């Protein structure tokens, strides 16, 4: 809110500042004003700092600082770390925190360096380096904030739709940040030995890469006579791939999102709803959740006992949690869409796109964010917050935990389907 943060020299106002701060710390990317046009260098540094903290998690950064200061990290702190990054066991938390920080610095550093090669010739040395750093952090944390408004407001990476370097670097950072720190640890220990991976890692890798290429093919089919018309072959390939990757909670775009066909918008909403993987910088219901739901549906249809994958049997608790997360996220997104449409006259596809983007902490929009009334903006703020901390965690915060009685009610059957 400080006047030093705005280019106009005047405070942006509480609600606009809150919206931007929430979008940055929840690594979403929805903005009321163009980041370059509205915010000074000071404001941009505040935003990128919140993105980094929001992406890695406050607990992870806190434990790393404690390690540097040689403070003792007790069982309580290790438990908080386990909850923060969704690891499967409490052992090795300190080593994992070190790996997360070192890995983050490495990937963001390499990404910034590669992007600087493209930006320095265009924007000069200092601005080019800053652009490389800003967009590398934003991409790795799946935030979607960009500074391309200096060329054209709200343009994102549209000017680079056929640039192989920019597209590949941004997509790689998005995927690496979105697969999760558990997967990082597993890959670093077992390298390319797929059979030795945890079941979690196997599911994450498959449900990450198969939809990326499958969705890219669908984007090409749906947009071949629309946005892809007139592009060269490189542009068509990169645009299709980028549209598939960025919808998994990143929020950048290399085409006009508002001009997508209805089919592409629906596909994007589905991808935004799924999101990235647990314990990562990404949002959404997570790849493991949708995998469990699909596996459970298959086992029900085939009459198989329980849910099995790669020679392992999934615990019932995982199935219950997946179902709850799926239902709560869907309920919140649809309820918020109905509320916004009741408040102001906006088209249903655009509002649904906006609410699913917010709950999935994606940041993609058809352009209606800056048209939202104050009440609608508050709804989007709440959705972004729920999407980042987890809809299940948000719901449990309002429910008093009670011990279950060791008594079961009588069973009675109902018809389903």
């Amino acid at each position: 809110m400080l006047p030093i943060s705005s280019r106009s020299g005047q405070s942006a106002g509480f609600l606009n500042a809150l919206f931007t701060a929430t979008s940055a710390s929840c690594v979403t990317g929805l903005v009321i004003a163009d980041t370059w046009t509205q915010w000074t260098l000071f404001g941009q540094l505040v935003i990128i700092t919140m993105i980094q903290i929001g992406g890695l998690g406050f607990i992870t950064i806190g434990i790393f600082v404690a390690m540097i200061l040689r403070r003792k990290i007790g069982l309580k702190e290790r438990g908080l770390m386990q909850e923060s990054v969704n690891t499967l066991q409490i052992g090795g938390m300190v080593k994992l925190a070190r790996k997360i920080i070192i890995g983050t610095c490495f990937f963001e550093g390499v990404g910034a360096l590669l992007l600087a090669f493209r930006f320095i010739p265009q924007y000069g040395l200092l601005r080019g380096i800053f652009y490389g750093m800003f967009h590398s952090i934003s991409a790795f944390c799946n935030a979607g904030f960009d500074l391309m408004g200096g060329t054209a407001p709200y343009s994102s990476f549209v000017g680079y739709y056929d640039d192989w370097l920019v597209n590949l670097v941004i997509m790689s950072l998005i995927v690496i940040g979105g697969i999760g720190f558990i997967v990082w640890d597993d890959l670093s220990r077992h390298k390319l030995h797929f059979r030795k991976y945890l079941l979690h890692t196997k599911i994450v890798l498959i449900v990450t890469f198969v939809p990326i290429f499958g969705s890219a093919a669908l984007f090409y089919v749906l947009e071949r006579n629309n946005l892809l018309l007139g592009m060269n072959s490189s542009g068509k390939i990169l645009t299709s791939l980028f549209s598939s990757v960025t919808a998994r909670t990143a929020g950048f775009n290399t085409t006009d999102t508002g001009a997508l066909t209805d089919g592409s918008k629906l596909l994007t909403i589905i991808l935004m709803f799924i999101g990235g993987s647990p314990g990562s910088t990404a949002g959404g219901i997570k790849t493991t959740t949708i995998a469990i739901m699909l596996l459970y549906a298959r086992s029900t249809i085939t009459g198989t006992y329980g849910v099995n994958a790669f020679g392992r049997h999934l615990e019932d608790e995982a199935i219950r949690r997946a179902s709850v997360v799926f239902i709560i996220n869907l309920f919140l997104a649809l309820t918020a869409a109905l509320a916004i449409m009741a408040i102001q006259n906006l088209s249903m596809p655009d509002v649904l796109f906006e609410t699913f983007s917010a709950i999935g902490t994606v940041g993609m929009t058809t352009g209606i964010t800056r048209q939202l009334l104050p009440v609608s903006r508050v709804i989007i703020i709440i959705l972004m917050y729920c999407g980042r901390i987890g809809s299940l965690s948000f719901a449990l915060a309002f429910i008093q935990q009670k011990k279950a009685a060791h008594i079961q009610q009588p069973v009675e059957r109902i018809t389903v389907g």
Side-chain angles (χ1 to χ4, degrees):
M1 287 178 63
L2 294 174
I4 193 176
S5 295
S6 299
R7 290 190 183 275
S8 64
Q10 298 178 345
S11 175
F14 174 72
L15 187 58
N16 289 350
L18 178 64
F19 192 99
T20 304
T22 306
S23 185
S25 57
C26 295
V27 290
T28 304
L30 290 173
V31 294
I32 294 172
D34 179 74
T35 307
W36 170 261
T37 307
Q38 171 67 33
W39 308 107
T40 60
L41 176 61
F42 178 83
Q44 292 164 14
L45 288 173
V46 172
I47 288 171
I48 202 64
T49 301
M50 287 190 290
I51 289 172
Q52 188 71 85
I53 294 172
L56 288 183
F58 184 78
I59 302 298
T60 303
I61 294 175
I63 286 182
F64 184 72
V65 171
M67 289 164 56
I68 294 174
L69 298 176
R70 298 186 181 279
R71 297 282 181 87
K72 183 180 179 181
I73 301 170
L75 193 62
K76 180 182 177 181
E77 289 75 19
R78 294 168 193 264
L80 288 172
M81 176 72 181
Q82 182 189 13
E83 291 292 327
S84 177
V85 298
N86 284 333
T87 55
L88 303 174
Q89 57 188 20
I90 199 169
M93 285 295 99
V94 176
K95 289 183 179 179
L96 180 60
R98 188 182 292 112
K99 280 184 180 180
I100 290 172
I101 298 296
I102 294 173
T104 297
C105 292
F106 173 76
F107 290 122
E108 289 180 351
V110 172
L113 183 65
L114 292 173
L115 290 174
F117 279 117
R118 178 66 73 242
F119 294 144
I120 289 175
Q122 296 178 351
Y123 302 107
L125 181 62
L126 294 179
R127 189 174 168 186
I129 292 173
F130 180 67
Y131 267 39
M133 292 172 59
F134 188 98
H135 293 106
S136 179
I137 294 171
S138 184
F140 179 83
C141 293
N142 283 215
F145 279 83
D146 68 84
L147 300 177
M148 294 302 159
T151 306
Y154 308 102
S155 61
S156 193
F157 288 103
V158 171
Y160 299 90
Y161 76 93
D162 60 348
D163 189 309
W164 282 90
L165 176 62
V166 172
N167 276 265
L168 290 179
V169 170
I170 295 294
M171 285 191 289
S172 298
L173 288 170
I174 291 169
V175 172
I176 292 170
I179 60 175
F181 305 127
I182 306 173
V183 177
W184 282 20
D185 186 49
D186 202 17
L187 291 176
S188 67
R189 287 187 290 110
H190 297 119
K191 303 300 185 285
L192 298 177
H193 300 289
F194 187 82
R195 290 187 176 183
K196 294 183 179 181
Y197 293 161
L198 296 169
L199 175 61
H200 173 89
T201 302
K202 293 176 181 178
I203 290 175
V204 165
L205 292 177
I206 290 174
V207 185
T208 295
F209 289 102
V210 171
I212 283 177
F213 293 103
S215 300
L218 283 173
F219 270 116
Y220 177 81
V221 172
L222 293 167
E223 294 295 330
R224 68 188 186 282
N225 295 320
N226 186 35
L227 293 179
L228 300 182
L229 199 63
M231 289 186 183
N232 55 35
S233 299
S234 292
K236 291 178 180 179
I237 294 170
L238 289 175
T239 299
S240 299
L241 272 174
F242 196 93
S243 297
S244 175
V245 172
T246 194
R248 304 293 294 279
T249 85
F252 297 112
N253 58 283
T254 55
T255 56
D256 181 5
T257 307
L260 291 171
T261 61
D262 289 340
S264 294
K265 287 181 181 178
L266 178 59
L267 177 58
T268 303
I269 287 173
I270 294 170
L271 292 174
M272 291 192 296
F273 186 64
I274 296 172
S277 302
S280 72
T281 60
I285 63 171
K286 304 298 188 291
T287 52
T288 50
T289 299
I290 197 67
I292 290 172
M293 298 293 287
L294 292 174
L295 288 169
Y296 185 62
R298 186 192 69 175
S299 68
T300 303
I301 293 169
T302 58
T304 307
Y305 174 74
V307 177
N308 304 303
F310 296 104
R312 294 291 185 271
H313 180 81
L314 293 179
E315 57 184 358
D316 293 338
E317 178 62 22
I319 300 169
R320 284 195 293 267
R321 289 181 69 89
S323 302
V324 171
V325 169
F326 184 94
I327 292 169
I328 292 178
N329 275 46
L330 185 62
F331 174 78
L332 288 174
L334 294 178
T335 302
L338 285 170
I340 292 173
M341 286 187 286
I343 294 166
Q344 56 187 122
N345 185 24
L346 294 170
S347 69
M348 184 179 70
D350 290 342
V351 175
L352 284 173
F353 198 98
E354 194 81 5
T355 56
F356 276 94
S357 177
I359 194 70
T361 67
V362 181
M364 296 186 74
T365 179
T366 56
I368 68 168
T369 309
R370 48 192 181 274
Q371 300 174 24
L372 296 175
L373 297 175
V375 178
S376 299
R377 292 180 183 183
V378 171
I379 292 172
I380 295 297
I381 287 172
I382 294 171
L383 282 181
M384 291 190 291
Y385 184 73
C386 292
R388 186 54 188 154
I389 67 169
S391 57
L392 182 56
S393 299
F394 184 77
L396 290 175
F398 296 96
I399 300 173
Q400 184 178 0
Q401 295 294 310
K402 295 181 180 179
K403 293 182 179 180
H406 298 289
I407 301 172
Q408 289 188 348
Q409 300 295 330
V411 175
E412 184 171 345
R413 300 179 66 183
I414 62 171
T415 57
V416 178

